[in-house]
Amino acid sequence: MSAPVRLGVLGCSAIARRRTLPAVADVPELTTAAVASRDAAKAAEFAARFGGTATGYDELIADPEIDAIYLSLPTALHHEWTSRALRAGKHVLCEKPLTDDAARTRELTGLAREKGLVLRENFAFLHHPQHVKVAELVADGRIGALRTFTATFGIPPLPAADIRYDRELGGGSLLDVGVYPLRAAQLLLGPGLSVAGATLRVDERLGVDLAGHVLLVSPEGVFADLEFGFQHTYRSSYGLWGSAAALSLDRAFTPPAEHRPVLRIDEQDHAEVLTLGASHQFRASIAAFAHAARDRGPDEPAWLDAADETARLITEVREQAVRVRA
């Protein structure tokens, strides 16, 4: 068997602590070799808990024993450190979104292509099989001709000191929760989506958006109606409305590993409920990255194209959005 991919962890974030690194421990194709933080004590804490040695950012990037980087720094730092990791010959799994700008993302995906390296955004939900089942039902004509896709991801207000309220670090709801509905629309409607309208509710004191609403249109004329924000009770769902039926899925983006997804299909005089098997989407995402880093399979260009598409949509939403006061 091939040796495990030696992973360097760049940034000791909450998502790394709660979700990603526990998943890494369950994937035999990966091993945590080093952990870097600007806070030496935090790096030491993470290393003691998840394995590897505590180090600094520069030392981690330069370490020839590291094969790949898991990057969970604030969004504003993604471009710099992803670029440095790729130039050092490391594969990169970067927390979403890769950057907040189409041109900067194209620079990174171009660099990954040039060097033959794996570069992925860690949208863990993409690896849950519930979305494969949804796509199969649509392709089989279960809801008729697809007319509208709706998606919602909202969470309650965050603690006042949360970095997602920090403009300089790439804060705001679009980059944190809004990218999930955007990416789901790409997954189920395909590439080439255009922004038909957008509104962002902005806290002028903080300089970040707290909520948003986006309307996209696919090349085939399917609407995508997307809502997101930090001002809501928790909601994570999407639906597809067709000419013959409507399909809905709750807990679409962050289902617990033990959760059994429920798909509901509503027709005019009939409703059907399908209960699917549970799946650990973080473990699946990490395992997929490990296999890609080892094998560099044919799917990698599609992941880079998707990152470019997500960044293009983020940029267009920001450029076109009508801003209202929070």
Side-chain angles (χ1 to χ4, degrees), residues 7-74:
L7 188 68
V9 178
L10 191 57
C12 297
S13 67
I15 192 69
R17 180 198 299 272
R18 292 186 295 108
R19 298 285 186 244
T20 309
L21 295 184
V24 169
D26 290 337
V27 176
E29 295 88 356
L30 274 174
T31 184
T32 301
V35 180
S37 172
R38 295 191 188 279
D39 182 336
K42 183 176 285 188
E45 174 199 346
F46 268 57
R49 180 173 177 180
F50 299 112
T53 58
T55 186
Y57 289 9
D58 293 324
E59 293 80 6
L60 183 70
I61 295 295
D63 188 345
E65 297 300 312
I66 299 296
D67 303 310
I69 300 292
Y70 166 59
L71 198 155
S72 65
L73 298 172

Side-chain angles (χ1 to χ4, degrees), residues 211-237:
H213 198 138
V214 175
L215 178 64
L216 308 176
V217 182
S218 79
E220 293 74 29
V222 179
F223 299 154
D225 189 7
L226 317 177
E227 295 181 276
F228 52 89
F230 294 155
Q231 298 180 308
H232 310 72
T233 185
Y234 175 82
R235 191 176 176 196
S236 169
S237 61

Side-chain angles (χ1 to χ4, degrees), residues 153-202:
F153 195 10
I155 60 175
L158 305 163
D162 195 286
I163 65 168
R164 286 169 286 185
Y165 287 140
D166 191 326
R167 179 180 181 180
E168 298 302 316
L169 293 178
S173 65
L174 173 61
L175 297 182
D176 188 66
V177 291
V179 289
Y180 285 86
L182 285 176
R183 189 64 182 85
Q186 294 172 237
L187 175 68
L188 294 169
L189 304 185
L193 295 165
S194 59
V195 178
T199 302
L200 295 174
R201 186 179 296 128
V202 177

Side-chain angles (χ1 to χ4, degrees), residues 97 99-100 174-175 179 182 310-318:
T99 83
D100 63 352
L174 173 61
L175 297 182
V179 289
L182 285 176
T310 300
R312 178 185 65 80
L313 291 172
I314 290 170
T315 301
E316 291 183 8
V317 168
R318 283 181 151 178

